[in-house]
Amino acid sequence: MNKQHPLYKEDLEHILQTDGLDSLRGKTFLLTGATGLIGTCLIDALMHYNQQGADITIYALGRSQEKAATRFGEYFDDTHFHFVEQDARQPLPASLVTDYIIPLASNTHPLAYSQYPVETIEINVKGAENALQKAVETGATVLYPSTVEVYGNARDEAVFTEDYTGQLTLATARACYTESKRLSEALCQSYIAERGAKVRMVRLSRVFGPTMLMSDTKASSQFIQKALAGEDIVLKSKGEQLFSYTYVADAVSAMLHVLIHGDNGVAYNISNEACDVRLKDFARLCAEWAGREVVFDLPSETERKGFSIATRAILDNTRLKGIGWLPRYSMKEALTRTLDILKES
């Protein structure tokens, strides 16, 4: 993507308006899964803040230096940025002492769930455990990125508050993601109770934006790629699923807000009611941008194995608003920004 695009620069400036951001000046961050959709945007925002003298140091951990160079090549000679080539399942380097740890590494799209369910569990659980252990050893604070998936499928027309439990199923390999995220949250609570860990937790709705990876097989990512290619948008269902989405700049802003203002051991839903839409409407907006149509196509067996069974997943963000955060972007605005930025990449 074109990181110099004026709209992306606006996104970064929006993130830097997060209340209390000055408290992060001079701090050190360690992020796993650094080259993903959220990690890339978060690092770009913090490095942009460094242009204003923030003096933030970032250790970005990932499995591929080549991939990292593609995502962060402009920072490789910057003394505030350090890439660590390592699998998130391995213990974090003993020499690293940081103020904040954000374990973002995860398989987060359907094809990865269906092809690598064991690896998905290992990355989520070991990644969380390694972050928590390092935090206890060094006094760092963990910002744990959980997911709407921990709620399962909705009962009736319910909206997910943080104390909600939906209908869950273990009779599918896709449970690798939902259950390992639930276990990782339990690990957070256990480390807090037994070892005094400092942990902030967020439960992210479905996040999209211009920092997406082109290998992402989520439906929303496929819609965006089809629109960019000038092709019809392919729906693998009737598209009646109703989900909460969040633009990546809003998601990163919310994560930083929770890091600064959130309570220890408390989970905060990250969502934006202006982006609660049915899947078919997400597809329609992409098609309208591209001047194309929405068409329907049955999924392959491999694809179907990775699909969520959820038909409704709306996150209530009252708790997050209660500590002073508000979203900025509507769905149409966010999708248009995403597509306009990516078309010039």
Side-chain angles (χ1 to χ4, degrees):
M1 62 164 285
N2 176 16
K3 292 187 179 182
Q4 301 306 313
H5 195 288
L7 291 177
Y8 190 60
K9 291 290 190 182
E10 284 182 12
D11 288 345
L12 300 183
E13 285 295 328
H14 161 54
I15 294 168
L16 298 192
Q17 293 170 17
T18 300
D19 181 54
L21 200 67
D22 280 355
S23 65
L24 302 183
R25 286 178 174 268
K27 302 298 186 182
T28 302
F29 283 75
L30 169 62
L31 291 82
T32 70
T35 59
L37 179 149
I38 293 174
T40 297
C41 186
L42 176 54
I43 289 173
D44 285 344
L46 294 177
M47 292 300 291
H48 190 62
Y49 196 26
N50 277 344
Q51 295 177 13
Q52 302 174 17
D55 193 30
I56 292 171
T57 299
I58 297 169
Y59 290 90
L61 190 147
R63 287 187 287 189
S64 168
Q65 179 153 339
E66 181 180 358
K67 187 175 181 180
T70 300
R71 299 289 258 182
F72 305 120
E74 69 270 36
Y75 307 138
F76 266 49
D77 294 327
D78 193 305
T79 57
H80 288 93
F81 180 87
H82 309 275
F83 178 70
V84 180
E85 189 171 25
Q86 180 184 311
D87 192 303
R89 290 171 288 184
Q90 301 304 313
L92 296 171
S95 60
L96 278 184
V97 178
T98 64
D99 298 293
Y100 301 109
I101 304 172
I102 309 178
L104 286 161
S106 183
N107 288 335
T108 58
H109 60 101
L111 194 57
Y113 302 151
S114 61
Q115 292 182 330
Y116 308 109
V118 174
E119 180 186 70
T120 298
I121 292 172
E122 292 175 346
I123 292 173
N124 284 343
V125 177
K126 292 300 295 182
E129 182 181 19
N130 291 334
L132 291 162
Q133 184 61 36
K134 170 64 77 169
V136 169
E137 292 170 357
T138 63
T141 296
V142 173
L143 176 63
Y144 185 70
S146 191
T147 170
V148 59
E149 299 274 0
V150 300
Y151 294 113
N153 200 9
R155 298 190 302 267
D156 302 319
E157 297 299 307
V159 173
F160 299 161
T161 60
E162 285 85 355
D163 59 356
Y164 181 87
T165 54
Q167 297 172 335
L168 301 167
T169 178
L170 297 176
T172 167
R174 197 188 188 283
C176 65
Y177 184 71
T178 57
E179 295 306 306
S180 57
K181 279 294 189 178
R182 286 165 63 87
L183 176 55
S184 295
E185 280 203 33
L187 266 177
C188 289
Q189 298 293 357
S190 298
Y191 266 81
I192 291 169
E194 185 176 334
R195 301 181 184 177
K198 295 179 290 185
V199 186
R200 310 290 185 265
M201 291 185 290
V202 294
R203 292 177 183 155
L204 292 149
S205 61
R206 289 161 168 80
V207 179
F208 69 96
T211 51
M212 62 177 275
L213 293 166
M214 292 301 136
S215 58
D216 193 332
T217 59
K218 290 194 294 290
S220 57
S221 300
Q222 293 298 301
F223 298 164
I224 290 167
Q225 291 187 52
K226 289 288 187 180
L228 290 169
E231 300 175 8
D232 288 338
I233 309 303
V234 179
L235 256 177
K236 299 286 188 174
S237 67
K238 293 181 179 180
E240 294 294 335
Q241 303 95 316
L242 180 61
F243 296 143
S244 289
Y245 294 91
T246 308
Y247 185 56
V248 67
D250 269 343
V252 169
S253 169
M255 290 173 68
L256 290 173
H257 193 94
V258 170
L259 182 63
I260 297 165
H261 300 286
D263 291 326
N264 197 43
V266 175
Y268 296 83
N269 285 338
I270 293 180
S271 65
N272 175 3
E273 55 273 26
C275 294
D276 292 346
V277 299
R278 295 192 183 279
L279 194 62
K280 64 182 180 183
D281 294 321
F282 196 115
R284 175 182 54 79
L285 287 169
C286 290
E288 287 177 355
W289 181 89
R292 303 294 296 189
E293 302 292 332
V294 177
V295 298
F296 298 86
D297 183 41
L298 292 176
S300 68
E301 185 61 29
T302 300
E303 288 175 318
R304 189 179 294 109
K305 287 180 180 178
F307 285 2
S308 171
I309 64 168
T311 57
R312 179 184 174 91
I314 301 298
L315 289 182
D316 180 285
N317 60 13
T318 301
R319 180 179 289 176
L320 181 57
K321 287 181 176 178
I323 60 169
W325 182 82
L326 292 173
R328 175 171 180 171
Y329 300 100
S330 68
M331 175 56 84
K332 185 171 184 179
E333 182 183 9
L335 262 179
T336 299
R337 294 177 80 85
T338 298
L339 290 161
D340 285 348
I341 293 169
L342 286 174
K343 77 175 180 181
E344 296 186 17
S345 299

